[in-house]
Amino acid sequence: MNANKLLKPMKSKILIVEDDNQSLYMLTFLLESNNYEVLQSNNGFDGIQKAHELKPDAIILDIQLPEMNGYEVTKALRENDELKNMPIIVVTSFAMIGDKNKALDAGADGYIEKPIDPDTFIAQMESFIPKKLRSTK
Ligand code: MN
């Protein structure tokens, strides 16, 4: 057993489901710089599959996705016993009234508006996940 490994705190694994490469790159950069392990997906079906297979600690989910939108993905995840308690944080550029409630009604834990603010994103995201999963505690 490697002594270094014992001293290092375990990184929380965050799955990002996002079809826009620029947003995916930025979210990944912010999370990795803050000591999170990042898993990536760029569509809803694949995101659900990865959530099942890789059991991330939390999911950051875009709403506008091809074929299956973020609301549908959230509902599908919540219908599964193993995934129903996984924190889901929705990100969306829809500036529509009621969008936030729609996300929370579908079962999301949190809602962050795009454009993402790099200075506040981590704090926003961490306000929606249990303390034990936060890299900044
Ligand atoms: Mn999108």
Side-chain angles (χ1 to χ4, degrees):
M1 180 80 69
N2 183 328
N4 266 338
K5 256 193 169 157
L6 290 173
L7 295 172
K8 271 190 197 157
M10 267 240 289
K11 286 185 180 184
S12 292
K13 262 191 298 192
I14 312 281
L15 171 64
I16 307 172
V17 186
E18 167 65 86
D19 63 322
D20 176 65
N21 281 335
Q22 220 174 323
S23 298
L24 184 60
Y25 180 86
M26 177 167 165
L27 291 168
T28 299
F29 173 78
L30 288 171
L31 288 163
E32 285 183 346
S33 322
N34 283 277
N35 207 36
Y36 288 97
E37 184 183 335
V38 171
L39 309 165
Q40 298 179 328
S41 174
N42 47 33
N43 73 72
F45 292 111
D46 179 67
I48 291 169
Q49 201 175 338
K50 284 193 170 139
H52 281 278
E53 285 170 7
L54 308 172
K55 302 275 183 297
D57 294 300
I59 300 180
I60 293 176
L61 177 64
D62 182 31
I63 286 295
Q64 276 181 290
L65 293 166
E67 290 172 50
M68 188 177 194
N69 70 34
Y71 304 119
E72 294 168 315
V73 173
T74 302
K75 283 182 189 153
L77 293 171
R78 289 306 184 227
E79 278 165 14
N80 182 278
D81 271 354
E82 283 189 336
L83 304 176
K84 66 183 179 194
N85 296 319
M86 185 176 291
I88 300 174
I89 299 121
V90 155
V91 289
T92 176
S93 51
F94 279 178
M96 296 201 309
I97 294 168
D99 198 38
K100 179 177 178 180
N101 287 339
K102 216 170 148 188
L104 300 179
D105 286 349
D109 297 279
Y111 175 92
I112 300 175
E113 264 177 44
K114 287 180 186 172
I116 295 299
D117 180 347
D119 294 329
T120 58
F121 176 76
I122 293 295
Q124 280 180 287
M125 194 273 301
E126 289 187 336
S127 73
F128 300 121
I129 63 174
K131 200 172 179 190
K132 61 174 187 210
L133 297 178
R134 297 175 196 164
S135 73
T136 58
K137 304 291 185 217

PDB file of all heavy atoms in Angstrom, residues 112-130:
ATOM      1  N   ILE A 112     -28.110  26.346 -11.845  1.00  0.00           N
ATOM      2  CA  ILE A 112     -27.114  27.396 -12.063  1.00  0.00           C
ATOM      3  C   ILE A 112     -27.307  27.949 -13.466  1.00  0.00           C
ATOM      4  O   ILE A 112     -27.374  27.191 -14.434  1.00  0.00           O
ATOM      5  CB  ILE A 112     -25.675  26.864 -11.877  1.00  0.00           C
ATOM      6  CG1 ILE A 112     -25.485  26.330 -10.453  1.00  0.00           C
ATOM      7  CG2 ILE A 112     -24.650  27.963 -12.178  1.00  0.00           C
ATOM      8  CD1 ILE A 112     -24.142  25.672 -10.200  1.00  0.00           C
ATOM      9  N   GLU A 113     -27.398  29.274 -13.547  1.00  0.00           N
ATOM     10  CA  GLU A 113     -27.630  29.898 -14.848  1.00  0.00           C
ATOM     11  C   GLU A 113     -26.350  30.099 -15.632  1.00  0.00           C
ATOM     12  O   GLU A 113     -25.324  30.447 -15.071  1.00  0.00           O
ATOM     13  CB  GLU A 113     -28.290  31.267 -14.637  1.00  0.00           C
ATOM     14  CG  GLU A 113     -29.794  31.213 -14.754  1.00  0.00           C
ATOM     15  CD  GLU A 113     -30.434  32.562 -14.471  1.00  0.00           C
ATOM     16  OE1 GLU A 113     -29.913  33.571 -14.978  1.00  0.00           O
ATOM     17  OE2 GLU A 113     -31.439  32.580 -13.743  1.00  0.00           O
ATOM     18  N   LYS A 114     -26.436  29.881 -16.941  1.00  0.00           N
ATOM     19  CA  LYS A 114     -25.350  30.239 -17.832  1.00  0.00           C
ATOM     20  C   LYS A 114     -25.554  31.694 -18.257  1.00  0.00           C
ATOM     21  O   LYS A 114     -26.692  32.135 -18.344  1.00  0.00           O
ATOM     22  CB  LYS A 114     -25.364  29.356 -19.084  1.00  0.00           C
ATOM     23  CG  LYS A 114     -24.921  27.934 -18.866  1.00  0.00           C
ATOM     24  CD  LYS A 114     -24.990  27.203 -20.206  1.00  0.00           C
ATOM     25  CE  LYS A 114     -24.697  25.729 -20.068  1.00  0.00           C
ATOM     26  NZ  LYS A 114     -24.945  25.011 -21.327  1.00  0.00           N
ATOM     27  N   PRO A 115     -24.543  32.466 -18.597  1.00  0.00           N
ATOM     28  CA  PRO A 115     -23.157  32.000 -18.650  1.00  0.00           C
ATOM     29  C   PRO A 115     -22.590  31.713 -17.256  1.00  0.00           C
ATOM     30  O   PRO A 115     -22.919  32.408 -16.297  1.00  0.00           O
ATOM     31  CB  PRO A 115     -22.429  33.180 -19.294  1.00  0.00           C
ATOM     32  CG  PRO A 115     -23.282  34.372 -19.011  1.00  0.00           C
ATOM     33  CD  PRO A 115     -24.693  33.869 -18.989  1.00  0.00           C
ATOM     34  N   ILE A 116     -21.784  30.666 -17.188  1.00  0.00           N
ATOM     35  CA  ILE A 116     -21.142  30.277 -15.941  1.00  0.00           C
ATOM     36  C   ILE A 116     -20.156  31.371 -15.527  1.00  0.00           C
ATOM     37  O   ILE A 116     -19.379  31.855 -16.341  1.00  0.00           O
ATOM     38  CB  ILE A 116     -20.374  28.943 -16.154  1.00  0.00           C
ATOM     39  CG1 ILE A 116     -21.339  27.800 -16.479  1.00  0.00           C
ATOM     40  CG2 ILE A 116     -19.497  28.606 -14.955  1.00  0.00           C
ATOM     41  CD1 ILE A 116     -22.356  27.472 -15.421  1.00  0.00           C
ATOM     42  N   ASP A 117     -20.213  31.758 -14.263  1.00  0.00           N
ATOM     43  CA  ASP A 117     -19.249  32.705 -13.718  1.00  0.00           C
ATOM     44  C   ASP A 117     -18.119  31.903 -13.058  1.00  0.00           C
ATOM     45  O   ASP A 117     -18.331  31.243 -12.048  1.00  0.00           O
ATOM     46  CB  ASP A 117     -19.950  33.593 -12.680  1.00  0.00           C
ATOM     47  CG  ASP A 117     -18.999  34.602 -12.064  1.00  0.00           C
ATOM     48  OD1 ASP A 117     -17.769  34.464 -12.239  1.00  0.00           O
ATOM     49  OD2 ASP A 117     -19.494  35.522 -11.393  1.00  0.00           O
ATOM     50  N   PRO A 118     -16.930  31.941 -13.647  1.00  0.00           N
ATOM     51  CA  PRO A 118     -15.831  31.119 -13.135  1.00  0.00           C
ATOM     52  C   PRO A 118     -15.457  31.441 -11.687  1.00  0.00           C
ATOM     53  O   PRO A 118     -14.934  30.588 -10.977  1.00  0.00           O
ATOM     54  CB  PRO A 118     -14.642  31.430 -14.057  1.00  0.00           C
ATOM     55  CG  PRO A 118     -15.169  32.255 -15.160  1.00  0.00           C
ATOM     56  CD  PRO A 118     -16.531  32.762 -14.793  1.00  0.00           C
ATOM     57  N   ASP A 119     -15.741  32.663 -11.254  1.00  0.00           N
ATOM     58  CA  ASP A 119     -15.375  33.053  -9.885  1.00  0.00           C
ATOM     59  C   ASP A 119     -16.329  32.495  -8.831  1.00  0.00           C
ATOM     60  O   ASP A 119     -15.969  32.373  -7.674  1.00  0.00           O
ATOM     61  CB  ASP A 119     -15.334  34.583  -9.756  1.00  0.00           C
ATOM     62  CG  ASP A 119     -14.226  35.180 -10.601  1.00  0.00           C
ATOM     63  OD1 ASP A 119     -13.186  34.501 -10.780  1.00  0.00           O
ATOM     64  OD2 ASP A 119     -14.404  36.307 -11.101  1.00  0.00           O
ATOM     65  N   THR A 120     -17.549  32.181  -9.243  1.00  0.00           N
ATOM     66  CA  THR A 120     -18.528  31.742  -8.239  1.00  0.00           C
ATOM     67  C   THR A 120     -19.060  30.327  -8.487  1.00  0.00           C
ATOM     68  O   THR A 120     -19.767  29.786  -7.641  1.00  0.00           O
ATOM     69  CB  THR A 120     -19.746  32.698  -8.204  1.00  0.00           C
ATOM     70  OG1 THR A 120     -20.339  32.726  -9.518  1.00  0.00           O
ATOM     71  CG2 THR A 120     -19.328  34.108  -7.826  1.00  0.00           C
ATOM     72  N   PHE A 121     -18.714  29.746  -9.632  1.00  0.00           N
ATOM     73  CA  PHE A 121     -19.315  28.459  -9.993  1.00  0.00           C
ATOM     74  C   PHE A 121     -19.103  27.374  -8.933  1.00  0.00           C
ATOM     75  O   PHE A 121     -20.044  26.670  -8.554  1.00  0.00           O
ATOM     76  CB  PHE A 121     -18.802  27.968 -11.353  1.00  0.00           C
ATOM     77  CG  PHE A 121     -19.328  26.604 -11.679  1.00  0.00           C
ATOM     78  CD1 PHE A 121     -20.637  26.440 -12.105  1.00  0.00           C
ATOM     79  CD2 PHE A 121     -18.550  25.469 -11.486  1.00  0.00           C
ATOM     80  CE1 PHE A 121     -21.157  25.181 -12.348  1.00  0.00           C
ATOM     81  CE2 PHE A 121     -19.065  24.205 -11.724  1.00  0.00           C
ATOM     82  CZ  PHE A 121     -20.368  24.066 -12.163  1.00  0.00           C
ATOM     83  N   ILE A 122     -17.874  27.228  -8.456  1.00  0.00           N
ATOM     84  CA  ILE A 122     -17.589  26.146  -7.500  1.00  0.00           C
ATOM     85  C   ILE A 122     -18.407  26.330  -6.214  1.00  0.00           C
ATOM     86  O   ILE A 122     -19.016  25.375  -5.710  1.00  0.00           O
ATOM     87  CB  ILE A 122     -16.069  26.060  -7.201  1.00  0.00           C
ATOM     88  CG1 ILE A 122     -15.307  25.603  -8.468  1.00  0.00           C
ATOM     89  CG2 ILE A 122     -15.780  25.105  -6.037  1.00  0.00           C
ATOM     90  CD1 ILE A 122     -15.612  24.193  -8.956  1.00  0.00           C
ATOM     91  N   ALA A 123     -18.450  27.554  -5.717  1.00  0.00           N
ATOM     92  CA  ALA A 123     -19.230  27.818  -4.499  1.00  0.00           C
ATOM     93  C   ALA A 123     -20.713  27.538  -4.733  1.00  0.00           C
ATOM     94  O   ALA A 123     -21.393  26.941  -3.878  1.00  0.00           O
ATOM     95  CB  ALA A 123     -19.027  29.258  -4.045  1.00  0.00           C
ATOM     96  N   GLN A 124     -21.217  27.933  -5.906  1.00  0.00           N
ATOM     97  CA  GLN A 124     -22.627  27.659  -6.230  1.00  0.00           C
ATOM     98  C   GLN A 124     -22.881  26.161  -6.262  1.00  0.00           C
ATOM     99  O   GLN A 124     -23.819  25.654  -5.664  1.00  0.00           O
ATOM    100  CB  GLN A 124     -22.965  28.228  -7.615  1.00  0.00           C
ATOM    101  CG  GLN A 124     -23.241  29.715  -7.654  1.00  0.00           C
ATOM    102  CD  GLN A 124     -23.563  30.129  -9.094  1.00  0.00           C
ATOM    103  OE1 GLN A 124     -22.670  30.179  -9.940  1.00  0.00           O
ATOM    104  NE2 GLN A 124     -24.811  30.419  -9.367  1.00  0.00           N
ATOM    105  N   MET A 125     -22.010  25.465  -6.994  1.00  0.00           N
ATOM    106  CA  MET A 125     -22.158  24.019  -7.155  1.00  0.00           C
ATOM    107  C   MET A 125     -22.097  23.332  -5.783  1.00  0.00           C
ATOM    108  O   MET A 125     -22.908  22.465  -5.470  1.00  0.00           O
ATOM    109  CB  MET A 125     -21.030  23.526  -8.073  1.00  0.00           C
ATOM    110  CG  MET A 125     -21.147  22.157  -8.627  1.00  0.00           C
ATOM    111  SD  MET A 125     -20.509  20.822  -7.635  1.00  0.00           S
ATOM    112  CE  MET A 125     -18.799  21.188  -7.409  1.00  0.00           C
ATOM    113  N   GLU A 126     -21.144  23.753  -4.951  1.00  0.00           N
ATOM    114  CA  GLU A 126     -20.961  23.098  -3.650  1.00  0.00           C
ATOM    115  C   GLU A 126     -22.106  23.384  -2.685  1.00  0.00           C
ATOM    116  O   GLU A 126     -22.317  22.627  -1.735  1.00  0.00           O
ATOM    117  CB  GLU A 126     -19.609  23.496  -3.049  1.00  0.00           C
ATOM    118  CG  GLU A 126     -18.458  22.848  -3.817  1.00  0.00           C
ATOM    119  CD  GLU A 126     -17.097  23.063  -3.175  1.00  0.00           C
ATOM    120  OE1 GLU A 126     -16.933  24.043  -2.431  1.00  0.00           O
ATOM    121  OE2 GLU A 126     -16.206  22.225  -3.444  1.00  0.00           O
ATOM    122  N   SER A 127     -22.852  24.457  -2.950  1.00  0.00           N
ATOM    123  CA  SER A 127     -23.996  24.726  -2.072  1.00  0.00           C
ATOM    124  C   SER A 127     -25.108  23.697  -2.286  1.00  0.00           C
ATOM    125  O   SER A 127     -26.021  23.589  -1.473  1.00  0.00           O
ATOM    126  CB  SER A 127     -24.517  26.149  -2.293  1.00  0.00           C
ATOM    127  OG  SER A 127     -25.199  26.251  -3.530  1.00  0.00           O
ATOM    128  N   PHE A 128     -25.013  22.937  -3.372  1.00  0.00           N
ATOM    129  CA  PHE A 128     -26.050  21.949  -3.688  1.00  0.00           C
ATOM    130  C   PHE A 128     -25.633  20.502  -3.428  1.00  0.00           C
ATOM    131  O   PHE A 128     -26.388  19.583  -3.715  1.00  0.00           O
ATOM    132  CB  PHE A 128     -26.471  22.074  -5.155  1.00  0.00           C
ATOM    133  CG  PHE A 128     -27.043  23.421  -5.509  1.00  0.00           C
ATOM    134  CD1 PHE A 128     -26.459  24.191  -6.494  1.00  0.00           C
ATOM    135  CD2 PHE A 128     -28.156  23.914  -4.849  1.00  0.00           C
ATOM    136  CE1 PHE A 128     -26.971  25.438  -6.831  1.00  0.00           C
ATOM    137  CE2 PHE A 128     -28.683  25.157  -5.178  1.00  0.00           C
ATOM    138  CZ  PHE A 128     -28.091  25.922  -6.173  1.00  0.00           C
ATOM    139  N   ILE A 129     -24.426  20.290  -2.930  1.00  0.00           N
ATOM    140  CA  ILE A 129     -23.989  18.913  -2.665  1.00  0.00           C
ATOM    141  C   ILE A 129     -23.647  18.766  -1.176  1.00  0.00           C
ATOM    142  O   ILE A 129     -23.304  19.749  -0.519  1.00  0.00           O
ATOM    143  CB  ILE A 129     -22.777  18.495  -3.547  1.00  0.00           C
ATOM    144  CG1 ILE A 129     -21.538  19.351  -3.254  1.00  0.00           C
ATOM    145  CG2 ILE A 129     -23.140  18.550  -5.033  1.00  0.00           C
ATOM    146  CD1 ILE A 129     -20.288  18.878  -4.006  1.00  0.00           C
ATOM    147  N   PRO A 130     -23.746  17.537  -0.630  1.00  0.00           N
ATOM    148  CA  PRO A 130     -23.438  17.339   0.787  1.00  0.00           C
ATOM    149  C   PRO A 130     -21.992  17.768   1.109  1.00  0.00           C
ATOM    150  O   PRO A 130     -21.101  17.639   0.269  1.00  0.00           O
ATOM    151  CB  PRO A 130     -23.600  15.833   0.976  1.00  0.00           C
ATOM    152  CG  PRO A 130     -24.425  15.372  -0.159  1.00  0.00           C
ATOM    153  CD  PRO A 130     -24.168  16.304  -1.298  1.00  0.00           C
TER     154      PRO A 130
END
